[in-house]
Amino acid sequence: MLLSTTSIALKLGAGLLADRLFGELRRFHPLVGFGRWAAHVEAGCRRVLGASRPAGVAAWALAVLPWVALALWLRGLHPLAHWPVDVALLYFALGGRSLAEHALAIAVPLAAGELSLARERVGWIVSRETAALDAEGVARAATESVLENGNDAVFGALFWFVVAGGAGVLAFRLANTLDAMWGYRSPRYLHFGWAAARLDDLLNALPARLTALTYALLGRTRRALACWRTQACAWDSPNAGPVMAAGAGALGVRLGGAAVYHGRAEDRPVLGEGRPADAASIAEAVALVRRGARWWLGLAALATLIQAGLATLAGAPHA
């Protein structure tokens, strides 16, 4: 048990450090290849099974499970193979540095009054229409994206790594990618994408609430918990609601509100309370995610120390 706890903490530290130092791969990113693989799987399943829910379930399994099996096989090639395999897979799944880079690329021009450039860059990370956003709208969109993707790109990955190692974090990341590809309520994916959306919700259910708790404990705790309790249930997504409500409350900003998606205006519930979102709130959201990652790593190290102490006490001779 002690060896397992120690290895988890060391691997978490190595994966987080690699992400902070190197960020996402600029060329030959594995998710690009996985996206092509998933597109071929989708086409084949549609030809055989149509656009039904069973077709979507089969496509999800064919897209994800072979890679999870490959990760398990690689871990078993040598007694020490789990070290490089797990660290590499965690690094591959984490996106903390990339998230921060994209967010700050919006915050800097927004703070300088370069609204058109900030609009262009926020359009790289959100699905809503950005051409008509004012400065507050740009800041809201970017802050929401940082808080929500803090769960998907950081805390969800850390959670599934702790629970199931490299294979677990790989399954989580690929499931999250398929949700982004197939999890739409459009005519094309209403039935076919059902499994991708539901499985992503299931895998994110506990990590999202731990993310919300992390935001609350590291920010304005009482306000964050109150916003989580009263506002999250009004949000469409069962996982994004707690994350963004707690995050907005922790930062003391107002998020949510009207947004335009694919030409259709949506009046979304308000999240958080306090000042309007601005360039500073984007940077504060990035800092909150970074503090949370360090906090999770610290908890893993603390667990190792506790295990070591218990093992020492258990092995001490009785008087």
Side-chain angles (χ1 to χ4, degrees):
M1 177 64 76
L2 176 59
L3 179 60
S4 175
T5 306
T6 303
S7 67
I8 288 173
L10 291 174
K11 290 171 183 176
L12 285 177
L16 286 166
L17 179 62
D19 176 62
R20 189 65 182 269
L21 290 177
F22 307 118
E24 290 189 343
L25 297 174
R26 303 299 181 185
R27 300 178 62 188
F28 309 115
H29 196 288
L31 283 182
V32 176
F34 175 75
R36 296 194 183 102
W37 162 254
H40 288 301
V41 170
E42 176 186 354
C45 287
R46 283 181 179 275
R47 280 196 302 270
V48 176
L49 299 173
S52 62
R53 285 187 178 183
V57 172
W60 190 97
L62 288 171
V64 172
L65 296 184
W67 303 110
V68 175
L70 177 61
L72 292 171
W73 178 74
L74 289 173
R75 290 180 91 255
L77 286 177
H78 187 274
L80 297 178
H82 64 95
W83 285 97
V85 172
D86 281 357
V87 171
L89 289 172
L90 178 59
Y91 163 62
F92 150 76
L94 288 169
R97 174 170 168 172
S98 177
L99 178 62
E101 288 174 346
H102 281 91
L104 296 178
I106 300 162
V108 170
L110 186 62
E114 301 176 33
L115 182 57
S116 61
L117 181 57
R119 283 172 177 160
E120 176 187 353
R121 289 179 174 174
V122 79
W124 297 349
I125 64 171
V126 299
S127 57
R128 74 193 69 179
E129 296 179 13
T130 62
L133 290 179
D134 60 11
E136 182 185 346
V138 169
R140 279 202 315 268
T143 305
E144 289 172 15
S145 181
V146 172
L147 293 174
E148 183 175 7
N149 284 291
N151 176 64
D152 293 340
V154 179
F155 301 111
L158 295 178
F159 172 85
W160 280 108
F161 184 82
V162 170
V163 170
V169 75
L170 178 64
F172 170 79
R173 194 70 176 94
L174 297 184
N176 189 250
T177 302
L178 288 183
D179 178 56
M181 294 178 64
W182 300 343
Y184 296 100
R185 296 177 182 174
S186 62
R188 177 176 177 82
Y189 290 109
L190 182 61
H191 299 294
F192 185 89
W194 173 85
R198 297 291 78 77
L199 287 168
D200 183 68
D201 285 345
L202 180 63
L203 292 173
N204 252 318
L206 185 52
R209 281 142 188 87
L210 292 175
T211 301
L213 183 60
T214 300
Y215 290 162
L217 293 176
L218 297 180
R220 295 168 174 83
T221 303
R222 184 174 298 178
R223 178 180 294 181
L225 293 175
C227 292
W228 179 1
R229 184 177 64 253
T230 60
Q231 298 172 344
C233 58
W235 203 256
D236 281 346
S237 169
N239 296 326
V243 168
M244 290 197 292
L251 296 174
V253 297
R254 293 195 308 273
L255 302 177
V260 179
Y261 293 89
H262 311 296
R264 186 181 66 182
E266 294 187 13
D267 188 17
R268 306 171 308 155
V270 172
L271 296 171
E273 58 182 45
R275 75 183 195 274
D278 54 16
S281 69
I282 304 173
E284 289 166 6
V286 170
L288 182 62
V289 172
R290 283 177 168 170
R291 287 200 308 275
R294 291 195 296 269
W295 193 60
W296 279 45
L297 179 58
L299 288 177
L302 179 61
T304 297
L305 292 176
I306 292 173
Q307 287 288 342
L310 292 175
T312 301
L313 289 174
H318 295 287

